[in-house]
Amino acid sequence: MSGSGDNAYLQTFKLFFWLIAITLGSFYLLSSVMLPIIISFTLYALLEPVMNTLVRRGMNRSLAIALLLVLMLTASMLAIGFALPPLFQQVALLKSKLPALFSQFEAFLTVYVERLGAQLGIDLNLSDILVNLLSQSTSLGNALLATLSASVAGITLSMILVPLLTYFILRDYKSLRNRLLGWLPNHRFELGWLIYHRVTRQLEAYTRGVMKQSAIMAVVASIGYWIVGLDIPLLLGALTGLLNLIPYIGPLISMVLAVLVAAAMTPFDPQLIYYAIGVVVMAQVVDNVIVIPSVIANAVDLHPVPVIVGILIFGNLFGAIGVILAIPALAAAKIIFNNLYQHAYNASRQG
Amino acid sequence: MPDTIWTNIFRTPRDNQAQIAELWQATPLFAGIPEREVRELAGNMHLRRFGEGEVVFREGDQAAGAILVFEGQVEILADTRRLALLERGDFFGEIALAENDQRTATARCREETRLVFFLKQDLEEWIEVAPRLGNRFLMNLASVLARRLHEANLLLARHCPE
């Protein structure tokens, strides 16, 4: 390989790592308003085609955006008005059942460990450890509920920020984007646009696919939980749909939640635990066999290992939002790296 | 003075926009597309300045769109041989509008030059909002590419008659 070729590769790696550093830095700085930003961009993707149609029919741009936002706000208020009361009822029900749930689970596991010890003929003496573990999971459950409440507060803040952000994104995003990409040097201008084009196309396809997938999973799981007779089927189903955004780990968490709810039901019926697991497994089968192949046609092509590592790192750095952002961020990083590498390869061949 | 917070300071200045639209409209790519529409599109195109001897793209570079000479001269090179000299109003690299492929030649500015980039991304966004006119444009693009292919065939036949 020639010296200039080496230089091209080195420059590419440098550029890539700078991009990663800048992106992570911006994520970190914006982490408190990440949720409204994500929601606003999602709304932008949904509303932009409608806005364009209105503008082409002669409507003033700002008026078209204002009209769309008013319509959207009215629709979401109505949706929240209908959907939130039953959801809150179910959250309250879950909260009231938590102590019973854990004590029942503790008793259940202690009996099983003693039985196992007797069968093996040795004193396992695991009950202390299990009780310890369970008390930890109780605090974990409370932490989960606290996070949920904090999310509700976050959502309220978002409801104020989102319309404002969406308005400005709808009005100025494209010209701002053109301006920013216009700062690229001449020799990277086309490459920059090409990468932007590929990344946004992939992210749009991913977002649309994942939204549909979540909704389908929520419906399938809710129906499943309702059929097997589990408490709070609507809330559990909605959580299963939402957790499905997190590959590999999400479905496991929803399974644990469903099992906890099944164990907390009175009278205690161990079979219900198997049914609850069955519903999550069945929902996963539906997801993998029907939904993913048909809905996420453009699914991001990533190896499971970087996906899991990415989710853990992003989750650790940015919390719940990070977990959801991990996949699109990894997919974008992969496209950017591949394109920069291809460019460096061409440059090195030309010497 | 414009208010930088509330006015859109990112738009292409209007006189350039009109000139860009006029130049594109004179090309076969925009035949039959209404002037108002071309002007609207021109507002989103990218006008860039290149220095004398600066390379616009090299053979093998990834391509993102078609390019119009707004001012100055551009030479198209295969290795060191000059294939064409393009001036104000000429366009090149339109294959990239059909296919994000690699550039098949090198383009270099002969003097201080201003070029207008019409990117595939802009074309796709336009087609989404104006499918009928977008269709018209794609037919024009197909004709331009067919004519280039036809000329290449004639050239090939002339140089290799057997």
Side-chain angles (χ1 to χ4, degrees), chain A residues 52 56 171 174-177 179 182 184-186 189-191 193-194 196-198 339 342 346 350, chain B residues 6 8 10 37 46 48-50 54 58-60 62-65 100 103 119 121 124-125 129-130:
Chain A
N52 284 334
R56 289 186 67 78
R171 206 190 70 156
K174 274 196 180 154
S175 39
L176 184 64
R177 168 200 76 182
R179 181 75 164 193
L184 287 168
N186 279 340
F189 179 71
E190 281 197 279
L191 179 69
W193 270 98
L194 210 60
Y196 170 81
H197 185 42
R198 287 177 180 160
N339 279 278
Q342 179 68 39
N346 286 342
Q350 284 160 6
Chain B
W6 294 99
N8 196 341
F10 307 119
E37 199 70 34
H46 317 268
R48 295 184 71 84
R49 193 181 292 275
F50 288 75
E54 190 174 348
R58 284 180 201 283
E59 187 184 335
Q62 285 176 294
N100 281 128
R103 295 289 186 196
L119 303 175
Q121 162 124 11
E124 284 181 359
E125 283 171 3
V129 295

Side-chain angles (χ1 to χ4, degrees), chain B residues 8 33 35 40 50 81 90 94 103 113 121 129 137:
Chain B
N8 196 341
I33 313 271
E35 190 191 331
E40 184 82 18
F50 288 75
R81 203 161 60 88
D90 292 336
E94 69 283 358
R103 295 289 186 196
T113 302
Q121 162 124 11
V129 295
F137 179 88

Side-chain angles (χ1 to χ4, degrees), chain A residues 218-242:
Chain A
V219 171
V220 167
S222 295
I223 293 174
Y225 294 136
W226 177 72
I227 289 174
V228 300
L230 219 61
D231 271 347
I232 55 166
L234 193 63
L235 176 66
L236 268 186
L239 282 175
T240 306
L242 204 64

Side-chain angles (χ1 to χ4, degrees), chain A residues 197-210 212-213 291-302 327-328 331-332 334-335:
Chain A
H197 185 42
R198 287 177 180 160
V199 168
T200 47
R201 220 169 32 184
Q202 174 96 67
L203 290 185
E204 271 171 26
Y206 176 76
T207 312
R208 265 198 292 268
V210 150
K212 281 186 205 157
Q213 185 195 19
V291 183
I292 291 180
S294 58
V295 174
I296 308 190
N298 264 335
V300 287
D301 180 25
L302 292 168
I327 305 275
K334 186 182 172 188
I335 295 173

Side-chain angles (χ1 to χ4, degrees), chain A residues 3 9 16 40 43 82 96 105 107 110 121-122 146-147 170 228 251 292 297:
Chain A
Y9 285 111
F16 183 70
S40 301
L43 284 175
F82 281 113
S96 67
F105 216 60
T110 315
I122 41 168
T147 317
L170 274 167
V228 300
I292 291 180

Side-chain angles (χ1 to χ4, degrees), chain B residues 5-69:
Chain B
I5 302 293
W6 294 99
T7 53
N8 196 341
I9 55 173
F10 307 119
R11 284 194 187 284
T12 311
R14 289 218 174 271
D15 50 339
N16 280 346
Q17 189 179 340
Q19 281 186 56
I20 293 169
E22 211 174 288
L23 289 175
W24 271 121
Q25 207 162 20
T27 67
L29 280 178
F30 284 89
I33 313 271
E35 190 191 331
R36 197 174 135 257
E37 199 70 34
V38 185
R39 197 178 272 240
E40 184 82 18
L41 260 180
N44 287 323
M45 289 182 187
H46 317 268
L47 182 62
R48 295 184 71 84
R49 193 181 292 275
F50 288 75
E52 185 187 339
E54 190 174 348
V55 171
V56 182
F57 54 72
R58 284 180 201 283
E59 187 184 335
D61 277 357
Q62 285 176 294
I67 303 166
L68 175 88
V69 182

Side-chain angles (χ1 to χ4, degrees), chain B residues 56-144:
Chain B
V56 182
F57 54 72
R58 284 180 201 283
E59 187 184 335
D61 277 357
Q62 285 176 294
I67 303 166
L68 175 88
V69 182
F70 185 71
E71 204 175 76
Q73 285 186 326
V74 175
E75 52 186 358
I76 307 294
L77 307 161
D79 293 325
T80 49
R81 203 161 60 88
R82 189 160 90 188
L83 301 177
L85 182 66
L86 306 173
E87 295 177 324
R88 182 176 164 86
D90 292 336
F91 67 97
F92 58 105
E94 69 283 358
I95 298 174
L97 292 176
E99 173 76 48
N100 281 128
D101 212 348
Q102 295 178 341
R103 295 289 186 196
T104 49
T106 296
R108 193 172 61 193
C109 298
R110 293 239 315 164
E111 54 190 47
E112 277 269 320
T113 302
R114 285 203 288 169
L115 301 173
V116 179
F117 285 75
F118 178 38
L119 303 175
K120 193 175 180 217
Q121 162 124 11
D122 299 325
L123 174 63
E124 284 181 359
E125 283 171 3
W126 180 50
I127 290 173
E128 263 173 44
V129 295
R132 277 185 56 207
L133 291 172
N135 195 28
R136 168 89 239 174
F137 179 88
L138 290 178
M139 293 299 288
N140 291 344
L141 177 64
S143 315
V144 168

